[in-house]
Amino acid sequence: QVHLVESGGGLVQPGGSLRLSCAASGSILRVNTMGWYRQAPGKQRELVAAMTSGGSTNYADSAKGRFTISRDNAKNTVYLQMNSLKPEDTAVYYCNLKMTFGTLDYWGQGTQVTVSS
């Protein structure tokens, strides 16, 4: 069994910053991809950023230049540093862990990020 626990969401003004964290526990394979997705009301869930255990990253165009994903493999923890936040970044952010070429796919419970003045 695998559990993902997110933290760090909240309310921030436009232009502000937030740092999300996600800690994974359980049967974690050494080779995996951890990432962040988000879902705004009325919209589909979308990838924000992902990072493999080897260090390769993938960012959504909307995140490039503003968000940075990082991870601590020893702690099975992934972070998302979000800068220059915009109202359109408002969404529930979900942590994701994929293993075995995506056949094992786990989600956190989600954390709300609201960007508003």
Side-chain angles (χ1 to χ4, degrees):
Q1 186 71 315
V2 172
H3 295 282
L4 303 177
V5 179
E6 300 124 331
S7 60
L11 172 65
V12 64
Q13 292 187 341
S17 298
L18 280 176
R19 188 190 194 212
L20 305 182
S21 299
C22 172
S25 61
S27 300
I28 311 296
L29 299 177
R30 187 177 60 85
V31 177
N32 60 69
T33 299
M34 296 187 76
W36 293 93
Y37 290 70
R38 68 185 183 187
Q39 187 167 19
K43 295 188 176 182
Q44 290 189 330
R45 191 173 296 188
E46 62 178 5
L47 172 70
V48 178
M51 189 171 189
T52 69
S53 49
S56 298
T57 58
N58 182 29
Y59 289 93
D61 287 343
S62 59
K64 290 177 181 177
R66 299 188 300 127
F67 296 0
T68 302
I69 190 169
S70 61
R71 58 186 290 170
D72 184 335
N73 289 338
K75 297 181 179 180
N76 290 318
T77 299
V78 65
Y79 307 95
L80 185 68
Q81 178 66 44
M82 303 186 292
N83 299 327
S84 303
L85 282 161
K86 305 175 182 179
E88 50 263 44
D89 295 317
T90 296
V92 178
Y93 283 69
Y94 295 91
C95 179
N96 176 259
L97 169 66
K98 298 186 192 298
M99 300 185 288
T100 317
F101 306 104
T103 58
L104 299 176
D105 195 13
Y106 300 95
W107 295 91
Q109 80 283 359
T111 185
Q112 177 70 46
V113 171
T114 302
V115 185
S116 175
S117 55

